[in-house]
Amino acid sequence: MGVVLPYGSARSTARLCQAAEAAGWAGCYIGDAIWCEDPMIALTAAAMVTQRIRLGTLIIPTPLRRPWKIASESVALDRLSEGRLTLGLGAGAVWMGWQAFPDEVTDTRARAEMLDETIDILTLLYQRQPFDYNGQHFHLKLTQLDVMHYPPQPVQQPRIPLWVVGLWPRPRSMQRVLKADGVILEKRAETGQEADLTPADVRDVRAFVQAERTLTTPFDIVVQGQTAQLTPIQRQEKLLEWEASGATWWIENLIGLSEAEALARLAAGAPQLT
């Protein structure tokens, strides 16, 4: 069980991650926005005061960051945390203030292309080998001399786990998921509007991934929501149903809470399935 924390300062993130670890949660994740305290710095602060809990982003909007910058920061954080980092990636939510920065790429297709290329480039950079890459948006030509100045490889191999937003059942979005190590699952109706995800959807996604994915590394299906309003029995039944459907991570959403409210929720402990 994990949590996605409220937006806040690096110090607040470190305190919340420390509290989550003490209370038995398995992962702490934080968001990124076009203008907020940098999540990679906040997770660095958290890595310094924790030892076990996984740390990650939900999500980095990849059009806002160069892939090689994501790579260098994530390698540093993965090594600092001794292999506890997960990178959640997405194309970004334009409605979250992007209109204030008109030079950023807002076209839906272009942002999706940039996300695809970022996945490719991160995978190649983590391998610490020379390569050429010619995409629609990014172009790299890395020689053996360039590799000599690379940072070391991340602790986690063959790469830092990449979770990618997947819009079920949109084919292009789900094809992208197959290149990753996990899907942050969302659902879209035929009209394009957000729809409620169900355990049946997760079963369908699991079957799709098992049939179509060629990578042999482990794969996570990530579901988010809130259970604080439920009774313990209701909470257990809900989470057991998600687990039975194939979800590997339940992420409790604490966005919008104050630090004090989030600390109280974390202290209550992760929901128990047995």
Side-chain angles (χ1 to χ4, degrees), residues 179-193:
K179 301 195 299 181
D181 306 296
V183 56
I184 304 164
L185 199 54
E186 298 179 6
K187 186 178 180 180
R188 291 293 184 271
E190 291 183 3
T191 59
Q193 294 180 321

Side-chain angles (χ1 to χ4, degrees), residues 12-54:
S12 175
T13 297
R15 287 191 291 265
L16 290 171
C17 289
Q18 194 172 35
E21 182 172 80
W25 295 84
C28 268
Y29 303 89
I30 60 175
D32 190 10
I34 197 164
W35 177 235
C36 68
E37 286 207 19
D38 191 284
M40 303 303 275
I41 293 177
L43 290 174
T44 297
M48 296 297 292
V49 295
T50 57
Q51 289 77 44
R52 173 193 56 80
I53 198 165
R54 287 204 68 83

Side-chain angles (χ1 to χ4, degrees), residues 219-240:
F219 187 87
D220 286 310
I221 299 178
V222 183
V223 178
Q224 303 181 63
Q226 296 178 328
T227 62
Q229 74 280 10
L230 303 178
T231 67
I233 292 177
Q234 290 173 327
R235 185 178 301 121
Q236 184 181 57
E237 290 176 346
K238 179 182 179 76
L239 296 178
L240 283 172

